[in-house]
Amino acid sequence: MTKNKQEHSGVWILAEQSDGQVQRISYELLTRGRDLADKRSTDLTAMIFGSDINAEDLQELIDCGADRVITMEAAALRHFLVEPYAACMLKIIEDYRPEIIIAGATSTGRTLMPYVAIKAHAGLTADCTVLDIEEDTGNLLQTRPAIGGNILATIKTPQHRPQMATVRPRSTKPAIKQDSRVGEIIRLKAPAECLASRINRVDFIPDESEHGLQEADVVVAVGRGIKKGENLSLTEPLCGSLEAALGATRDVVDRDWLSYPHQIGLSGKTVNPKLYLAFGISGTIQHLAGMQTSETIVAVNTDPDAQIFNVADFGIVGDLFEVLPVLTERINKIRNSQ
Amino acid sequence: MRIIVPIKQVPETNAVRMDSKTGTMIRDGVEAIINPLDLYAIEIAIQLRQEHGGEVIAVSMGPAKAIAALREAIAMGCDSAVLLSDKAFAGADTWATSYVLAKAIEHMGDYDLIICGERATDGDTGQVGPGIASFLDLPVASYIGKVEQVSNKTCRLHRLVEDGHEVLDVELPAVLTMVKEVADPRLPTLRGKQRAKKVDIPVWTANDIDADADKLGLAGSPTRVVKIFRPQVARQCEKIVAMDESDIEQAVDKLVMFLQRKELI
């Protein structure tokens, strides 16, 4: 299906659902997809796999930027299972020949997209931070951190179609509803021959300790500058008075000072809070990829050349062990007087 | 139980530094190591062999020097290893890499499990594990944080997803990709190291694995890197140097005023 490049057209996103409810990542992908479709002067289609997907949610995909929604539904598609999802997506690729497919770099997207890209002989780029259309050729330009996150690389797929990419969750704002948008919703029954699975989902155990790193308005994050795990207690009063979630760099998690769910960066979570306070973080691209879209960034680091200052709005070149207590005290004072 | 573990040799990424004047990577003194996340795959494979018997085979695609990573895998306890090395493999993206690994695994004969690390720390794509599964038409269970109840027909796994973990029953043969939570990788033993030094590691080329020439390396890769660059300075930073106590008091005062102006506190 890669021979005739011209037969492929349209920008597609992979929307995700959980228990029939469309998930936030879908609206983030609409933001990306709408921009690409407009630049390419083409339509935006959202495809979604599931079972009994909420009809209002499907309409909301239209209201938020899709020109068309195509569902494939069956009881076997209720939860993500790689084989039936891939078979359905390949069926859609065969029938509709999309030019571009973007999905979230979620546990679903990062498993499904490579599985499909192999069979479709498509180009796939993981964890893109910027997507654009090349002017002369109309090719999708995919930019992502590379080599351990120290540099950025722009990648394209010159000949093969579709062009596929995953993008980091929360690396862009979800699309918002616009008045009087119209679009088509096509609800397809998934073909029976697409539904076989050698994986059976027997149970689901929800996380108990949800500390809401990605939902928090304020994130206090620490890097190797915190020196040892015990020093993390220094951040507690500040987190308390700012109602902040605690995040960390890969270095800190690799040293077991904090658990993996706290990790922010390319190999951890992406956050975009109103305020990001970085203490003792040098700012590798690996880390920046997970936090640089924060609205306001404050950095404290002893190294005046630390890269973190390049993305910060306010920086203090100084020792976090001296700055942190003073800042905590000042903020507490303000909070108490309010 | 026959288990195949695809591994990758990567630069020790924490050691990669950028030259701030030229914007290029400083490669001097950067060591090549076994991808740290592959160690979890090796550990689980060895545990399963200890429990069920059989053998663990490490396989890697890379230049001749990648043999060092395979020797390390043997030092940890893998039984044997194969290096896939051919000029034609150079410049492969994840599609062409998955193809070569899948062809080599096909060439190895029967197997029960293919166990991978969740991703490599240099490319950070996590695409090759599912890619191998797709080429071999096998089920893939990614982000595995716990392996339990393995028989020669199925295994029960915990797959870590955004809001919890799924419990999955997977028919074998299958491809699994492991996350850090799954186990603590063992260190190589002295005996293992001695064995690793002596063991013969065959090197297979494209011919040995019956690979199609047009699916190899850069030529067989759908994607192309068009540009590599350093990120631009994104924001204007108000930066205050605070070296002593009174500096710090003043700097924090300014920071507090800044935050109040932005209505953040």
Side-chain angles (χ1 to χ4, degrees):
Chain A
M1 54 188 81
T2 59
K3 292 279 181 276
N4 297 308
K5 199 164 129 172
Q6 286 72 24
E7 286 177 13
H8 291 255
S9 69
V11 175
W12 289 57
I13 65 150
L14 174 72
E16 290 189 34
Q17 55 82 31
S18 173
D19 285 328
Q21 311 296 312
V22 173
Q23 298 296 292
R24 176 190 157 109
I25 182 70
S26 317
Y27 300 99
E28 296 173 17
L29 293 169
L30 286 177
T31 302
R32 302 269 192 180
R34 190 68 258 168
D35 172 59
L36 295 173
D38 291 345
K39 282 178 179 157
R40 189 81 181 105
S41 308
T42 187
D43 285 348
L44 175 62
T45 306
M47 68 176 129
I48 184 163
F49 308 112
S51 167
D52 297 323
I53 305 167
N54 186 317
E56 283 170 29
D57 284 14
L58 295 177
Q59 181 57 44
E60 200 170 331
L61 291 171
I62 300 280
D63 296 341
C64 292
D67 299 306
R68 182 170 59 168
V69 173
I70 295 185
T71 76
M72 255 196 191
E73 291 172 88
L77 300 174
R78 184 178 169 82
H79 302 294
F80 170 67
L81 290 170
V82 67
E83 293 165 281
Y85 270 58
C88 289
M89 194 161 162
L90 285 160
K91 177 88 176 104
I92 281 182
I93 292 173
E94 199 186 314
D95 291 350
Y96 293 90
R97 297 180 184 260
E99 187 178 39
I100 291 170
I101 303 174
I102 56 175
T106 58
S107 59
T108 294
R110 296 196 63 165
T111 309
L112 178 61
M113 292 286 271
Y115 204 85
V116 167
I118 294 294
K119 291 189 194 290
H121 206 165
L124 170 62
T125 305
D127 272 335
C128 299
T129 50
V130 180
L131 293 175
D132 204 354
I133 298 289
E134 193 172 46
E135 268 184 29
D136 304 335
T137 62
N139 282 325
L140 179 65
L141 293 175
Q142 306 152 115
T143 300
R144 71 183 300 266
I147 318 182
N150 285 279
I151 54 167
L152 293 170
T154 301
I155 293 161
K156 69 178 176 184
T157 301
Q159 299 302 331
H160 298 67
R161 295 291 180 270
Q163 306 162 89
M164 298 170 69
T166 61
V167 297
R168 303 286 291 167
R170 292 185 187 261
S171 63
T172 189
K173 301 271 183 229
I176 47 172
K177 268 193 192 182
Q178 295 156 40
D179 292 333
S180 67
R181 274 195 53 84
V182 286
E184 191 184 2
I185 298 173
I186 305 168
R187 299 188 78 145
L188 302 174
K189 197 164 167 263
E193 69 271 19
C194 292
L195 298 177
S197 177
R198 286 166 286 184
I199 298 179
N200 183 21
R201 186 184 190 265
V202 291
D203 200 3
F204 180 75
I205 303 159
D207 275 340
E208 283 165 21
S209 59
E210 183 47 63
H211 56 98
L213 187 58
Q214 291 183 303
E215 287 77 36
D217 282 337
V218 182
V219 170
V220 170
V222 293
R224 201 158 33 164
I226 196 79
K227 288 191 178 132
K228 51 185 176 180
E230 297 89 89
N231 292 339
L232 284 167
S233 58
L234 290 170
T235 63
E236 280 168 19
L238 185 64
C239 286
S241 59
L242 290 173
E243 289 172 39
L246 183 62
T249 61
R250 180 158 85 181
D251 265 342
V252 167
V253 172
D254 280 351
R255 284 170 171 74
D256 280 332
W257 296 342
L258 270 174
S259 62
Y260 179 64
H262 291 275
Q263 188 170 320
I264 294 168
L266 188 59
S267 49
K269 291 194 169 99
T270 303
V271 297
N272 49 13
K274 292 200 172 83
L275 175 60
Y276 191 91
L277 294 154
F279 292 97
I281 292 176
S282 62
T284 60
I285 295 179
Q286 148 76 231
H287 184 72
L288 302 186
M291 47 64 76
Q292 62 191 353
T293 55
S294 304
E295 281 175 35
T296 299
I297 297 171
V298 173
V300 177
N301 199 301
T302 48
D303 176 7
D305 298 323
Q307 285 213 53
I308 190 78
F309 291 122
N310 293 339
V311 300
D313 302 287
F314 195 100
I316 298 179
V317 180
D319 187 346
L320 76 92
F321 295 103
E322 293 172 38
V323 175
L324 197 49
V326 180
L327 179 63
T328 307
E329 187 218 305
R330 289 281 204 288
I331 288 175
N332 276 339
K333 219 183 250 172
I334 293 165
R335 282 283 141 108
N336 291 337
S337 66
Q338 276 170 354
Chain B
M1 184 160 257
R2 200 152 180 261
I3 305 169
I4 296 165
V5 185
I7 65 170
K8 185 179 187 186
Q9 190 180 50
V10 299
E12 215 270 311
T13 44
N14 284 340
V16 176
R17 294 279 173 265
M18 300 296 290
D19 184 322
S20 59
K21 290 193 183 75
T22 62
T24 54
M25 204 169 64
I26 303 166
R27 284 175 184 273
D28 293 349
V30 178
E31 244 184 288
I33 56 166
I34 199 164
N35 169 36
L37 294 169
D38 292 342
L39 301 178
Y40 301 90
I42 294 171
E43 174 60 34
I44 287 295
I46 294 171
Q47 284 183 17
L48 288 173
R49 183 199 59 202
Q50 285 173 336
E51 221 175 296
H52 301 270
E55 60 172 333
V56 178
I57 308 162
V59 58
S60 187
M61 184 185 93
K65 67 168 187 155
I67 211 150
L70 291 166
R71 292 202 189 280
E72 209 179 318
I74 286 176
M76 276 177 75
C78 292
D79 297 280
S80 61
V82 179
L83 177 66
L84 312 172
S85 199
D86 192 316
K87 273 186 190 141
F89 299 160
D93 71 359
T94 58
W95 196 95
T97 302
S98 304
Y99 174 70
V100 166
L101 287 163
K103 289 301 281 184
I105 290 167
E106 247 173 24
H107 194 68
M108 288 176 184
D110 288 340
Y111 49 82
D112 301 286
L113 278 170
I114 299 167
I115 307 184
C116 310
E118 182 241 313
R119 63 192 151 78
T121 54
D122 58 347
D124 261 320
T125 72
Q127 290 176 179
V128 171
I132 293 170
S134 187
F135 270 119
L136 297 173
D137 239 326
L138 295 175
V140 57
S142 52
Y143 303 101
I144 299 307
K146 195 174 172 190
V147 178
E148 50 181 45
Q149 292 178 25
V150 179
S151 74
N152 54 7
K153 286 206 175 65
T154 64
C155 58
R156 175 159 292 188
L157 308 162
H158 288 224
R159 176 172 186 258
L160 306 195
V161 296
E162 284 74 10
D163 49 354
H165 41 131
E166 301 176 332
V167 183
L168 304 176
D169 280 345
V170 181
E171 278 178 38
L172 304 190
V175 177
L176 315 180
T177 78
M178 299 290 146
V179 295
K180 278 181 191 170
E181 282 77 1
V182 79
D184 288 324
R186 68 194 61 199
L187 293 168
T189 60
L190 188 61
R191 239 182 80 198
K193 279 183 187 169
Q194 283 167 342
R195 204 174 86 78
K197 261 186 220 161
K198 282 182 243 145
V199 77
D200 180 44
I201 296 179
V203 180
W204 291 353
T205 63
N207 268 340
D208 296 318
I209 59 171
D210 287 329
D212 288 347
D214 60 357
K215 291 180 180 167
L216 299 177
L218 187 63
S221 296
T223 63
R224 288 285 179 280
V225 176
V226 287
K227 191 170 72 165
I228 286 180
F229 59 104
R230 299 196 75 196
Q232 292 168 338
V233 174
R235 307 183 192 215
Q236 284 297 318
C237 182
E238 186 179 344
K239 196 158 69 177
I240 300 170
V241 179
M243 284 315 173
D244 62 28
E245 214 173 300
S246 74
D247 278 0
I248 284 167
E249 297 272 337
Q250 282 177 20
V252 171
D253 281 341
K254 280 187 184 155
L255 171 56
V256 167
M257 279 183 332
F258 169 84
L259 294 175
Q260 283 178 318
R261 204 162 62 231
K262 293 207 154 213
E263 297 177 351
L264 289 165
I265 51 172

